[in-house]
Amino acid sequence: MTDTLAAPPKTKSQALRSYDVADFPALTGLEEEWRFTPLKRLRGLAAAGSPAGRAAPAIGYTDLPDGVTVSTVDKGDPRIGSVLVPFDRISALAYGGFAEAALVTVAAEAVLARPAVVRITGDGTETPSFGHTFIEVGRFAEATLVVEQTGSVTLADNVEVTVADGAKLTLITVADWTPDSVQAQHLKVKLGRDAKVTHIQVSLGGDLVRQFTSVEYTGRGGEAELYGLYFADAGQHLEHRQLVDHSVPDCRSYVGYRGALQGDGAHTVWVGDVLIQVQATGTDTYEINRNLVLSDGARADSVPNLEIETGEVAGAGHASTTGRFDDEQLFYLMSRGIPEGEARKLVVRGFFAELVNKIPVEELRERLGDAIEARLQKAGT
């Protein structure tokens, strides 16, 4: 058991990691990692013990490209837990609560001809559910994988992603839950030598969605690009956290998240942690978060953190901006005869365009554009 009176870790690399929920003290909301999260809205996911949960949301797929398989495995599979060791209470609760894990495998040296799409669908919020997904990309493979999350849930889940030496993965995750849903997720990526992951995280639905993404390097030349797009409406709480742990020399990371929010009680949180350990010489990293506040009553919290233990880095920096519409942009568009309401929509579309265009799936890009348009139309922006 953990000594709850022990001094807090001095660095992120020293944070407690355990598969056992009993090793983590009960949450109070005073913890640095949880101070932005409204614990009362987690519907028991932060409660003591491990309540009996319903089955994990169903995973579905159709017409997978050659080189991809989807199956289920139990906890005894040696891959489970090989990437992710929980370092918060709810992640440990999810690890102890799931029965079977969804396994998505991309064969070694496979180059997918088109994106693979899997759908995770929830069927109720009454009882907490616990999920686990393991994504395995073999050596020198190249793949684009879309994971769509829909339906209604009260869900704690973990996602393990391993990208082997020389492989390249573009992973798009879409949280488009029903308005009554709650999710707390930890997604961890382990990169091999000269491996690359591009993760594009889209968060639109749900009442409260808290997603934590972490990255671990195991060989030189690893690259991680983490992008996020989120749009919070009235009453929604969307929270995104990252930990990029540079523990290997000559690796690269880039984090770029953009969010918009509108309506009374809309709340977004972005916390980006980048750790460059003493042995990680030659690291090149940058993180930036931009937020666009569209109405009164909305609040965006943005906290970039950079922890550097060596002076021998190729580059390291961070930035954060939060603001309302750019009056100069609006004035320019309106001076060209565009009505104010339409001009505001164009500004928001332009704000998100860079990230939307990074999604290599046309049908998904169009759906996201339509979803953003619908929210703006709803608010009369």
Side-chain angles (χ1 to χ4, degrees):
M1 297 289 290
T2 302
D3 181 2
T4 58
L5 298 179
K10 296 180 180 179
T11 174
K12 290 291 182 180
S13 63
Q14 298 173 350
L16 169 66
R17 289 168 169 79
S18 174
Y19 300 107
D20 187 353
V21 68
D23 285 339
F24 296 91
L27 298 176
T28 67
L30 300 178
E31 301 86 356
E32 176 61 30
E33 295 291 324
W34 293 93
R35 66 187 178 97
F36 292 116
T37 310
L39 299 183
K40 291 182 179 180
R41 291 169 60 179
L42 284 171
R43 295 203 196 108
L45 292 181
S50 297
R54 66 194 301 143
I59 185 168
Y61 55 89
T62 55
D63 191 25
L64 293 172
D66 292 341
V68 180
T69 59
V70 177
S71 60
T72 58
V73 295
D74 61 28
K75 282 185 179 177
D77 189 289
R79 289 167 289 196
I80 303 301
S82 63
V83 173
L84 186 156
V85 181
F87 53 76
D88 69 48
R89 182 177 180 84
I90 295 182
S91 180
L93 182 68
Y95 192 89
F98 84 94
E100 287 187 326
L103 175 65
V104 182
T105 301
V106 180
E109 301 186 9
V111 178
L112 302 193
R114 52 189 169 81
V117 180
V118 298
R119 296 176 178 86
I120 296 175
T121 307
D123 64 353
T125 63
E126 301 81 9
T127 306
S129 58
F130 307 106
H132 201 100
T133 304
F134 195 100
I135 298 171
E136 182 179 41
V137 181
R139 296 183 68 204
F140 303 112
E142 296 184 17
T144 295
L145 173 64
V146 180
V147 179
E148 295 198 47
Q149 303 164 98
T150 60
S152 60
V153 290
T154 298
L155 173 66
D157 68 317
N158 293 309
V159 181
E160 302 185 73
V161 183
T162 177
V163 185
D165 294 352
K168 296 180 180 179
L169 171 66
T170 298
L171 174 63
I172 302 107
T173 57
V174 182
D176 196 15
W177 303 111
T178 56
D180 59 345
S181 293
V182 169
Q183 179 188 31
Q185 181 185 79
H186 183 181
L187 182 152
K188 182 173 181 182
V189 180
K190 180 181 284 188
L191 289 172
R193 184 182 181 93
D194 295 323
K196 180 177 181 179
V197 65
T198 301
H199 180 208
I200 303 166
Q201 189 172 55
V202 179
S203 300
L204 296 174
D207 176 64
L208 184 154
V209 175
R210 186 184 195 270
Q211 296 178 313
F212 195 111
T213 302
S214 57
V215 177
E216 176 186 355
Y217 299 86
T218 64
R220 291 176 184 264
E223 293 187 49
E225 294 185 0
L226 309 180
Y227 300 102
L229 182 160
Y230 50 92
F231 197 144
D233 225 332
Q236 275 189 294
H237 178 96
L238 301 180
E239 183 167 346
H240 299 88
R241 292 172 175 264
Q242 298 86 45
L243 171 60
V244 182
D245 187 355
H246 284 275
S247 58
V248 175
D250 304 323
C251 292
R252 174 183 170 272
S253 66
Y254 181 88
V255 178
Y257 273 61
R258 294 191 183 191
L261 54 164
Q262 66 184 11
D264 189 39
H267 187 198
T268 64
V269 178
W270 177 86
V271 180
D273 288 305
V274 175
L275 169 62
I276 304 175
Q277 298 194 41
V278 65
Q279 68 272 25
T281 57
T283 292
D284 187 5
T285 182
Y286 192 80
E287 60 175 351
I288 184 170
N289 175 229
R290 297 180 62 193
N291 295 290
L292 186 59
V293 181
L294 302 177
S295 70
D296 293 333
R299 171 185 167 187
D301 288 295
S302 181
V303 186
N305 298 306
L306 186 58
E307 185 177 347
I308 305 174
E309 298 177 351
T310 176
E312 299 180 38
V313 297
H318 59 65
S320 170
T321 62
T322 298
R324 294 185 177 272
F325 281 106
D326 187 321
D327 290 337
E328 291 186 3
Q329 288 181 325
L330 286 176
F331 177 79
Y332 175 83
L333 292 171
M334 292 172 65
S335 70
R336 297 302 187 270
I338 299 174
E340 181 179 357
E342 188 62 29
R344 288 178 177 272
K345 292 178 184 179
L346 289 173
V347 171
V348 176
R349 292 191 200 112
F351 177 75
F352 282 127
E354 180 182 352
L355 295 188
V356 171
N357 289 336
K358 290 183 180 296
I359 298 174
V361 184
E362 182 178 1
E363 184 268 341
L364 181 55
R365 289 197 304 270
E366 292 177 354
R367 278 201 288 128
L368 290 178
D370 291 343
I372 292 170
E373 176 73 19
R375 293 211 169 186
L376 295 172
Q377 198 72 33
K378 173 184 174 182
T381 299

